[in-house]
Amino acid sequence: MIIDEAHKFIDAARTMYGVELSSESAQEVISNVGRFEFKREGFYELATTAAAKLASESARLFAGLIAEADNENDIKSVAINKNSARHIRNIRAITERLLFILRYEAFFCKANEALAWVRRKYGVNTSPIDIKHLLREVGDETDDRETMRSLMHKQITRLHQALCALPEIKHKAELEIKQRQARRFSLNTERQATANDKSKSSTVIWKKVRRLLPVESATGNESDRIIRLIRQIQHIHEQASEFANHGNLICWLENEDEPPKLCAVPNNLNDRLFRDQWGKGIPTILTSGTLSAGGDFTRTNQSFGLDNLGVKLSEATYPSPFNYRKNALLYLSENTPFPNIKNKGYIEAVTDEIEQLVKASNGHAAVLFTSFDAMGRVFATLKQRNLPFPMFRLDKGGVKEIERFKQSGNGILFASGSLWEGIDIPHDPLSMLIIVRLPFQVPNAIGEYEQTKYSDFPSYLRSVLVPEMLVKLKQGFGRLIRTEADTGAVAILDSRVNGKGAYRERVLDALPNCVVTDDISKVRQFFQSIKTPDYFK
């Protein structure tokens, strides 16, 4: 097996193994239950009452989580305390009751659809069949799925018998048996007798009513609607069940421009990956331009669960085919203070530096931020300075701005998030890449949990945060040179990589081998030497 772009593997794994419970789900259930026309007597009241209780428990759960969480961050670490755990258990119990109600309602709907099918196919009157009486039993809420299926199977048998007892169906079946007996088959007596006991009509009808199970498969318009509702509630039940066993989960609350969501991943994800993937013995190649931190795969092996293999891994790094010494320049600023977006002087210094750099490159620039807040403040200030280049701001989901930037020729694209990787803007439109700040991971629940595994913060910083930052930095750096013919400069404005910076050597070891400068005039001269006159028009 070959896994390409393997630096994204851990994020994909967290998505696949993660659980998520949305505050919006319960409101959707109320709406969907309220719109459905229940056929069983009293089931509408049972379902709407349960749905209202579900919404109430969900609202209480999220009110408590929001009150507990740190209001300054959009993604907040949370612990499942006794109150939250009680609400989650109640959500699980209420969804179990709803599923009990809806499964029997879906069974009833599908049985009615089977009756309608028999009427159409055979042109018979099915009104003598009292389906409410045939399906009157609904078991008990404490019944497990197998008990429910056993009862429903008995009801299917009764329904089949009632359909075959209809005069028209019975007469048709008798004719079919007589016709069969009149034929000559090369069968022994026992096989002939068995075959003669079954009519084609009876068999066809049995195959149709047998499809009432499983309940979660649809056969018609009415049953399809309620089965979609069953699947929606089943999903909530499964997620609540995962959170009910929260002892092995890392939990957090997402509350950013959308209804709050309680999210979690297993705290032993690396062990799970070893069990489910690497431990299977399948020969695997993981490949990516950004898997190692300066040639060191320790952090990747640890987070992927590869350090549990107990066998030697083959690791290799290969140089880029691009000529960075000739085609790229690396500018490391000596003018910006320590990164602190709350410091007005820091924002002003970054803004001034960006202005000088984009003038040196005649636009054709992308500015990468790690904070949407800092990006907005710098963008607003530069907008007031009336730079001679079109400016574009890539907010969350604003992918159209990338195309507008490409078409502009010499624009400036301000971005955070998605532009750090996976965006391809080759040739002159992107010739200056400005990285405002080293992309250290913002505090999050997973990081907080991982930190508890280390004796002190410096050990965690050295083993986890710095290697992950270097991989992310390489991804950002890679936005500049996309082909062998591309030329341009990368600027890093973080004081931690200046001449006395703590991470200068680690950063230089991780990035391609470029000429390095801290002189903006050298940046200007570089562009004048590598670009054609058309570039500056």
Side-chain angles (χ1 to χ4, degrees):
M1 179 170 62
I2 298 175
I3 302 175
D4 194 15
E5 300 292 349
H7 61 277
K8 298 181 181 179
F9 180 81
I10 194 64
D11 289 333
R14 286 170 179 167
T15 299
M16 292 178 67
Y17 285 87
V19 290
E20 180 182 291
L21 187 62
S22 172
S23 62
E24 196 174 36
S25 300
Q27 292 300 323
E28 292 176 353
V29 169
I30 281 188
S31 176
N32 292 335
V33 166
R35 287 198 301 264
F36 189 80
E37 295 181 7
F38 286 80
K39 300 292 188 293
R40 282 186 181 269
E41 186 175 348
F43 268 44
Y44 176 81
E45 290 77 13
L46 291 174
T48 53
T49 299
K53 290 181 179 178
L54 177 64
S56 175
E57 287 295 332
S58 177
R60 292 175 183 176
L61 168 66
F62 281 95
L65 291 173
I66 291 170
E68 175 195 344
D70 174 12
N71 292 324
E72 291 186 2
N73 297 320
D74 292 325
I75 299 179
K76 316 165 181 71
S77 299
V78 292
I80 306 296
N81 58 27
K82 290 182 178 180
N83 287 334
S84 297
R86 184 181 72 254
H87 293 310
I88 289 170
R89 289 195 301 271
N90 290 342
I91 288 172
R92 184 175 59 178
I94 294 166
T95 52
E96 285 175 352
R97 173 164 174 73
L98 271 169
L99 288 171
F100 174 85
I101 295 166
L102 295 175
R103 283 179 178 134
Y104 275 108
E105 176 65 24
F107 184 68
F108 193 81
C109 289
K110 293 176 73 174
N112 274 295
E113 289 166 358
L115 283 183
W117 179 85
V118 171
R119 285 197 300 270
R120 292 192 303 271
K121 183 172 180 64
Y122 296 102
V124 300
N125 177 22
T126 59
S127 59
I129 297 177
D130 186 355
I131 196 168
K132 289 184 178 180
H133 178 74
L134 283 175
L135 308 183
R136 64 190 180 279
E137 299 169 84
V138 293
D140 187 87
E141 284 188 44
T142 59
D143 290 345
D144 57 26
R145 291 298 306 282
E146 284 305 312
T147 303
M148 291 175 66
R149 286 176 64 89
S150 177
L151 174 58
M152 290 175 179
H153 191 82
K154 292 176 182 177
Q155 294 173 334
I156 288 171
T157 303
R158 292 205 298 263
L159 177 59
H160 177 253
Q161 292 170 346
L163 285 167
C164 291
L166 291 170
E168 298 91 341
I169 301 295
K170 186 175 182 180
H171 177 67
K172 184 175 179 62
E174 289 171 349
L175 286 177
E176 289 171 350
I177 291 173
K178 288 179 181 179
Q179 290 170 356
R180 176 178 294 171
Q181 289 173 340
R183 297 178 188 144
R184 294 181 179 179
F185 294 99
S186 58
L187 298 170
N188 62 43
T189 304
E190 182 179 353
R191 288 180 64 197
Q192 182 66 56
T194 302
N196 288 342
D197 285 341
K198 298 178 181 178
S199 71
K200 180 180 178 182
S201 299
S202 174
T203 301
V204 170
I205 292 171
W206 172 250
K207 288 181 178 179
K208 182 66 179 179
V209 297
R210 189 178 60 186
R211 292 175 186 167
L212 272 62
L213 293 178
V215 170
E216 288 83 357
S217 62
T219 57
N221 291 333
E222 280 298 312
S223 61
D224 180 59
R225 287 180 59 203
I226 197 164
I227 286 163
R228 287 200 302 270
L229 181 55
I230 286 173
R231 290 171 181 165
Q232 178 189 15
I233 295 169
Q234 179 69 39
H235 179 72
I236 298 173
H237 179 266
E238 290 170 356
Q239 302 300 296
S241 297
E242 290 281 352
F243 280 110
N245 300 312
H246 54 84
N248 65 340
L249 295 177
I250 304 169
C251 301
W252 68 91
L253 187 69
E254 291 188 4
N255 190 21
E256 182 181 10
D257 301 330
E258 58 184 22
K261 292 184 295 187
L262 177 61
C263 306
V265 294
N267 59 19
N268 62 340
L269 182 58
N270 54 346
D271 294 332
R272 298 274 291 272
L273 289 172
F274 172 74
R275 182 194 69 194
D276 298 342
Q277 184 60 51
W278 320 125
K280 300 293 185 182
I282 302 171
T284 304
I285 296 173
L286 297 100
T287 178
S288 167
T290 52
L291 267 183
S292 70
D296 184 355
F297 292 89
T298 302
R299 175 56 185 164
T300 295
N301 293 340
Q302 179 189 58
S303 60
F304 284 23
L306 290 167
D307 56 345
N308 292 333
L309 277 174
V311 296
K312 184 178 179 180
L313 295 171
S314 296
E315 301 170 351
T317 58
Y318 300 94
S320 169
F322 303 145
N323 189 344
Y324 285 97
R325 292 294 298 181
K326 176 182 177 182
N327 294 338
L329 179 71
L330 178 60
Y331 172 83
L332 301 180
S333 174
E334 293 285 346
N335 304 315
T336 51
F338 185 85
N340 181 2
I341 62 172
K342 295 181 180 180
N343 180 353
K344 185 178 179 181
Y346 166 72
I347 295 295
E348 290 176 351
V350 165
T351 305
D352 292 341
E353 194 93 344
I354 292 171
E355 180 178 3
Q356 294 180 63
L357 286 167
V358 297
K359 286 180 176 178
S361 66
N362 196 47
H364 305 83
V367 189
L368 293 185
F369 291 82
T370 58
S371 161
F372 281 100
D373 178 43
M375 181 179 77
R377 292 164 65 185
V378 172
F379 181 89
T381 302
L382 286 175
K383 196 74 173 174
Q384 294 174 350
R385 297 184 183 182
N386 296 317
L387 298 181
F389 317 108
M391 292 173 56
F392 306 94
R393 176 174 167 175
L394 185 63
D395 288 305
K396 300 164 192 176
V399 292
K400 291 182 179 179
E401 293 300 290
I402 296 176
E403 194 58 37
R404 292 179 60 198
F405 166 72
K406 289 180 181 179
Q407 297 299 324
S408 73
N410 67 339
I412 309 171
L413 178 65
F414 292 75
S416 185
S418 62
L419 198 69
W420 279 90
E421 60 176 300
I423 303 299
D424 190 25
I425 308 176
H427 311 312
D428 284 350
L430 177 52
S431 296
M432 165 60 80
L433 181 74
I434 302 172
I435 295 173
V436 174
R437 182 175 180 173
L438 294 178
F440 281 98
Q441 181 64 263
V442 297
N444 59 48
I446 297 174
E448 289 177 9
Y449 173 79
E450 285 195 317
Q451 187 176 340
T452 64
K453 298 180 179 180
Y454 293 85
S455 58
D456 51 38
F457 181 77
S459 299
Y460 172 64
L461 176 67
R462 181 173 57 255
S463 302
V464 177
L465 293 184
V466 172
E468 289 186 350
M469 177 273 291
L470 293 173
V471 168
K472 186 77 171 179
L473 181 64
K474 288 165 63 179
Q475 291 166 0
F477 187 98
R479 297 315 95 208
L480 180 71
I481 304 295
R482 308 300 298 169
T483 73
E484 291 183 359
D486 287 352
T487 56
V490 174
I492 302 177
L493 309 187
D494 195 312
S495 64
R496 291 169 290 185
V497 293
N498 65 22
K500 298 180 181 179
Y503 302 117
R504 184 182 181 90
E505 294 306 318
R506 294 290 303 272
V507 165
L508 291 177
D509 287 343
L511 295 181
N513 183 14
C514 303
V515 174
V516 180
T517 184
D518 58 11
D519 186 346
I520 288 183
S521 68
K522 295 286 182 62
V523 176
R524 186 177 300 105
Q525 293 170 13
F526 175 75
F527 277 99
Q528 290 171 349
S529 68
I530 62 171
K531 298 296 185 181
T532 64
D534 288 341
Y535 173 90
F536 297 96
K537 291 182 179 179

